[in-house]
Amino acid sequence: MSLLRGAACALALCLAPFTARAQVSDDVVRVGVLTDLSGPYADFAGPGSVVAARMAAEDHNGGRALGKPIEVVGGDHQNKPDVGAALARRWVDTDRVDMVIDMPNSAVALAVQQVGRERNRIIINTSAATTELTGRQCSPVGFHWVLDSYALTTGITRAVMGQGGRSWYYLTVDYEGGYAQERGSEAVVNAEGGRVMGRARHPLNTADFSSFLLRAQASRAQIVALAKAGTDTVNAIKQAGEFGLTRSGQRLVGFFVNITDIKALGLQTAQGVVSVDAWYWDQNEESRAFARRFAERHQGRMPTQYQAGVYSGVRHWLKAIEAAGTDEAMAVAAKMRELPVDDVFAHGGRVRADGRHVHDVHLVEVKKPEDSSAPWDLYRILSTIPADQAFRPLNEGGCPLVRQ
């Protein structure tokens, strides 16, 4: 018996160096930023997300995790699920990427999350909106970091109603994404005793919103809600400004509005628009310092909530690697759910069993031109929506990982 014990001890000592080296696969910790580098989401994610990931890598122990160098690569999914999934597989199988992050486009995000499940790789979705990522299609190695369609509709509707917005009119793009936004908001309006004054449906990529806006004005609803995204949102806000909708007393609520949209529109046009933002660069000195560093690297642009979310997601993942003592996905995923999220993006954030990162978000209003003191001084924060009100309750998503 003593001989066997001696042999076992000798074997353990011989294997110890190999075990230590195996803590980080391939002796490099690699991050893949899969984003939209040239399409409709490039402004609020895109190249800025790659910049944010590189900043996160550099800020973690001088660019090393468990003593190994951290590398960041970027790629364009072209808003095509098959392209995104193929690139993610190549990164994992050939380039030894350990984690993939960003994915603005819900269809791409769902496809890449499936790759992560198959290949045992961490996937952190920061820019996609679908709640399916933490619902029926949740993954043990999948995470959703910034906002989702629940927070973008339900959370903002409840907050606006709390400020007196009782009657609503919906201007909705005529496809499932728009319907989902409208349904989520309307459910809150009805539950809170509000009133829906009407709705207008318009085709995707509508250039002329005049007839729809006239109907919204005629409804006399306190709130005109834009259930849409991208170019449709920008065009609707622009033409609502020309109609003087907000100046006549109605409030314009955008369910999917980004600071880059407001910057492009200008305050004269966008003033008064209400939206929800998970993170704003000018909310405190810590966020302002981070934003200045980011702007130096990204053509003077302030970071969006999604780019700040990429920074946070990478930082949290790297901390989890240190805590787990390995970059193996399941071990790291367990630590990501265990550790609090504490960084420039969120203090007191936490990751639930379904992979949803829950954190406070802000109800914001676009400033009037005379109230702005700098080119990117665009929002005033109206209120903070607590994490437990901003996101869907854990037991309502249908995630198989959640014990009912």
Side-chain angles (χ1 to χ4, degrees):
M1 180 67 72
S2 60
L3 184 60
L4 288 173
R5 285 190 184 131
C9 291
L11 181 60
L13 289 170
C14 290
L15 289 178
F18 296 95
T19 303
R21 283 199 295 269
Q23 289 175 340
V24 172
S25 57
D26 200 35
D27 283 336
V28 178
V29 177
R30 290 192 178 89
V31 178
V33 183
L34 187 56
T35 190
D36 177 2
L37 290 173
S38 56
Y41 308 132
D43 278 349
F44 71 76
S49 290
V50 180
V51 170
R54 288 184 173 142
M55 288 176 64
E58 293 165 11
D59 288 350
H60 183 84
N61 294 338
R64 303 182 78 82
L66 294 177
K68 305 300 181 182
I70 306 166
E71 293 183 359
V72 176
V73 298
D76 193 345
H77 59 47
Q78 302 173 39
N79 289 293
K80 299 176 181 178
D82 56 338
V83 172
L87 182 51
R89 288 192 189 95
R90 193 196 78 194
W91 274 354
V92 171
D93 295 343
T94 304
D95 300 333
R96 307 297 297 273
V97 165
D98 300 294
M99 184 270 280
V100 182
I101 194 167
D102 204 17
M103 282 77 71
N105 182 303
S106 290
V108 173
L110 288 167
V112 174
Q113 180 150 292
Q114 179 59 29
V115 173
R117 185 186 290 108
E118 294 168 355
R119 300 297 203 272
N120 191 37
R121 287 295 190 277
I122 298 288
I123 307 295
I124 304 176
N125 291 283
T126 52
S127 303
T130 178
T131 53
E132 279 296 285
L133 290 163
T134 54
R136 290 171 295 178
Q137 298 189 52
C138 69
S139 164
V141 291
F143 299 88
H144 204 169
W145 213 253
V146 181
L147 291 176
D148 57 30
S149 57
Y150 185 98
L152 289 165
T153 57
T154 304
I156 188 175
T157 301
R158 186 175 290 114
V160 170
M161 291 193 73
Q163 295 188 344
R166 309 301 295 175
S167 59
W168 292 64
Y169 187 95
Y170 293 96
L171 190 53
T172 304
V173 63
D174 193 12
Y175 70 92
E176 179 53 33
Y179 307 152
Q181 292 180 34
E182 182 184 303
R183 284 195 303 268
S185 174
E186 185 174 0
V188 176
V189 173
N190 292 332
E192 299 287 330
R195 184 180 177 190
V196 175
M197 307 295 286
R199 69 198 81 233
R201 301 280 171 79
H202 67 84
L204 180 66
N205 294 326
T206 291
D208 184 2
F209 282 90
S210 57
S211 63
F212 305 112
L213 290 167
L214 285 170
R215 288 156 62 184
Q217 282 185 316
S219 75
R220 298 183 182 274
Q222 293 170 295
I223 308 298
V224 177
L226 305 179
K228 60 188 93 277
T231 304
D232 283 328
T233 295
V234 170
N235 287 339
I237 292 173
K238 181 179 180 181
Q239 291 170 41
E242 293 168 355
F243 272 75
L245 189 143
T246 57
R247 291 191 294 276
S248 66
Q250 290 178 300
R251 298 185 82 184
L252 196 63
V253 170
F255 289 140
F256 196 89
V257 178
N258 284 290
I259 191 173
T260 47
D261 299 328
I262 303 304
K263 179 64 175 172
L265 284 163
L267 295 181
Q268 187 63 46
T269 297
Q271 60 183 302
V273 171
V274 176
S275 188
V276 67
D277 217 272
W279 181 89
Y280 179 47
W281 73 270
D282 198 22
Q283 63 196 60
N284 54 49
E285 187 50 47
E286 183 185 25
S287 62
R288 287 189 285 272
F290 171 78
R292 287 191 292 268
R293 291 175 52 214
F294 179 92
E296 290 173 357
R297 296 172 174 233
H298 195 49
Q299 302 174 329
R301 295 168 174 254
M302 293 298 156
T304 68
Q305 57 186 329
Y306 298 107
Q307 291 158 348
V310 168
Y311 177 89
S312 174
V314 173
R315 288 299 305 272
H316 190 70
W317 174 69
L318 291 169
K319 290 175 184 176
I321 288 176
E322 300 283 0
T326 177
D327 62 356
E328 192 279 320
M330 289 298 287
V332 173
K335 288 297 181 181
M336 289 180 69
R337 288 176 168 87
E338 176 185 321
L339 297 172
V341 180
D342 188 26
D343 54 37
V344 69
F345 179 81
H347 294 291
R350 60 186 178 86
V351 181
R352 302 188 311 199
D354 60 355
R356 174 69 258 176
H357 171 214
V358 293
H359 49 83
D360 295 347
V361 301
H362 305 295
L363 187 70
V364 298
E365 183 178 62
V366 178
K367 288 184 172 182
K368 296 177 181 179
E370 59 268 28
D371 294 333
S372 175
S373 59
W376 287 88
D377 180 20
L378 304 177
Y379 288 156
R380 68 184 184 100
I381 296 176
L382 298 175
S383 64
T384 297
I385 305 171
D388 60 351
Q389 296 178 25
F391 296 97
R392 181 177 61 190
L394 181 61
N395 63 353
E396 293 182 7
C399 171
L401 302 174
V402 177
R403 295 179 180 177
Q404 302 298 329

